Amino acid sequence: MDRRAANILDCTIRDGGLVNNWEFSVEFVRDLYKGLSEAGVEYMEIGYKNSPKLLKGAEAGPWRYLDEGFLREVIPHKTATKLSALVDIGRVDEDDILPREDSLLDLIRVACYVRDVGKGLELVQTFHDKGYETSLNIMALSHVLEHELEEALVRIAASPVDIVYVVDSYGSMDPRDFALMVDKFKELVPNKKLGIHAHNNLQLAFANTLTGLDHGATFLDSSVFGMGRAAGNCNTELLLSHLDNTRYELRPLIRVIEEHMIGIRQKWEWGYLIPYMISGVFDEHPRIAMALRASENKDQYLEFYDTLTNPEAIVAKKGD
């Protein structure tokens, strides 16, 4: 695959919001959009387009709900960098989504588990009919049985979705896994563009993303400074520095990191840490490692390891 064919989709605000409950300032989001635009990044995912009434009053910053009026205040002058938002099954009211010509958004991505692909494709159809570019992001692929995936991909191939994502939700996959997965997607959905969303539990997000690109994926998710839930994502600045495309400029993102991300990183935690590594090794959801890091025992790595490998060991230890 010609690496110049890549499209970078920066999801710092959307995935990074899982770290800080979407408590980003308007000034930061506006400056990030400026930096990504100057850097030549094709897409910025500016948050979730979920509906507050369907989240049972969950408190979060405005980037979890993306009101169109607010969005126009944040981005008064749109550049060539397109804007995307992600929705979850059961958390979006279709009536909250304006027709594309009335919205600042260009791409709406639907996230679902393989068991909910039918519901995901119904949303895709709705957004497609409203004029948006669309993607379907199948989460937790490392836990999906082969026949389930194949059945889902057959349905996806017959849908209007534009992009189908390989998502390593638990950060447990390596380049061999990504090569096999992207090849399977290419075989069963040859009429769709493919995307990669990798997490960095095993410090393989960058390598996995490049492997996906070399096997035919052209939409690459990343985040500035790797900001994302738990171990974080593939770094946008790494992709910019590595891909063979003369439109990319690294300096604007170095400025954003220096002026904003260093301070943000001092306030909120993400990135490679031993508990996230352990959850990745054992293909576990990162929530268990995040819970450890939020507790008084956040640095008791050995007990956490024993809990995942031998729960009886903890019982015995408490009985000593």
Side-chain angles (χ1 to χ4, degrees):
M1 171 62 65
D2 184 352
R3 290 186 172 183
R4 290 171 294 182
N7 289 272
I8 296 176
L9 191 151
D10 182 89
C11 53
T12 305
I13 303 304
R14 200 274 306 165
D15 207 324
L18 292 161
V19 175
N20 68 352
N21 204 30
W22 298 276
E23 293 180 16
F24 297 108
S25 70
V26 168
E27 292 73 22
F28 167 65
V29 175
R30 187 178 290 150
D31 199 34
L32 177 62
Y33 183 67
K34 178 177 182 288
L36 292 169
S37 299
E38 292 174 350
V41 171
E42 289 82 5
Y43 291 81
M44 172 180 172
E45 190 153 80
I46 199 165
Y48 282 94
K49 188 61 178 170
N50 288 330
S51 303
K53 59 191 173 186
L54 298 177
L55 286 171
K56 301 179 181 178
E59 294 294 328
W63 319 103
R64 196 178 188 190
Y65 308 115
L66 286 184
D67 174 77
E68 284 282 354
F70 173 74
L71 190 54
R72 289 187 180 277
E73 293 178 10
V74 176
I75 310 292
H77 304 292
K78 197 172 176 185
T79 69
T81 297
K82 294 181 178 182
L83 294 173
S84 78
L86 187 138
V87 302
D88 294 312
I89 299 295
R91 293 181 174 180
V92 58
D93 185 338
E94 298 173 18
D95 293 334
D96 290 344
I97 309 294
L98 298 175
R100 183 178 180 180
E101 59 266 24
D102 299 326
S103 173
L104 280 189
L105 298 174
D106 301 282
L107 166 66
I108 298 183
R109 307 203 295 170
V110 178
C112 69
Y113 292 102
V114 72
R115 65 178 180 270
D116 293 322
V117 160
K119 296 177 182 178
L121 291 178
E122 290 177 4
L123 284 177
V124 163
Q125 184 69 60
T126 297
F127 303 143
H128 171 80
D129 292 344
K130 292 189 176 190
Y132 292 96
E133 300 172 45
T134 59
S135 85
L136 191 70
N137 296 24
I138 307 175
M139 299 183 291
L141 281 175
S142 60
H143 281 201
V144 175
L145 298 177
E146 186 172 5
H147 76 274
E148 292 178 316
L149 179 59
E150 291 176 352
E151 291 170 4
L153 292 178
V154 170
R155 299 180 68 181
I156 291 167
S159 78
V161 72
D162 298 300
I163 313 153
V164 188
Y165 264 83
V166 175
V167 182
D168 180 20
S169 299
Y170 300 162
S172 61
M173 295 167 63
D174 64 22
R176 294 168 299 178
D177 299 321
F178 267 86
L180 290 171
M181 193 66 72
V182 173
D183 287 346
K184 179 175 285 292
F185 275 54
K186 279 175 59 181
E187 175 188 355
L188 296 178
V189 286
N191 56 333
K192 308 299 181 185
K193 299 173 186 175
L194 301 182
I196 296 294
H197 185 90
H199 284 272
N200 209 31
N201 299 65
L202 306 181
Q203 293 199 349
L204 289 172
F206 182 51
N208 287 339
T209 300
L210 293 182
T211 297
L213 174 62
D214 288 341
H215 280 256
T218 55
F219 276 73
L220 312 178
D221 280 17
S222 62
S223 60
V224 176
F225 221 36
M227 186 178 187
R229 181 177 63 182
N233 304 92
C234 177
N235 294 55
T236 303
E237 63 274 11
L238 276 177
L239 286 180
L240 282 179
S241 67
H242 197 76
L243 297 179
D244 300 325
N245 199 313
T246 56
R247 72 173 174 269
Y248 292 142
E249 294 287 343
L250 181 59
R251 193 176 191 277
L253 292 194
I254 300 300
R255 178 190 64 78
V256 169
I257 292 170
E258 179 179 315
E259 294 181 4
H260 298 284
M261 301 303 296
I262 293 174
I264 291 173
R265 182 64 177 82
Q266 291 172 346
K267 188 174 182 180
W268 287 290
E269 178 182 277
W270 72 86
Y272 176 80
L273 290 166
I274 294 300
Y276 301 144
M277 180 274 285
I278 293 171
S279 68
V281 166
F282 294 108
D283 198 17
E284 294 282 352
H285 195 290
R287 68 170 66 95
I288 59 172
M290 294 171 70
L292 174 69
R293 294 299 299 168
S295 73
E296 296 179 354
N297 302 321
K298 66 178 186 177
D299 293 323
Q300 293 186 8
Y301 301 158
L302 189 59
E303 183 173 310
F304 180 68
Y305 178 87
D306 288 342
T307 301
L308 293 186
T309 57
N310 182 15
E312 290 79 10
I314 298 302
V315 176
K317 179 178 178 181
K318 290 180 178 178
D320 288 344

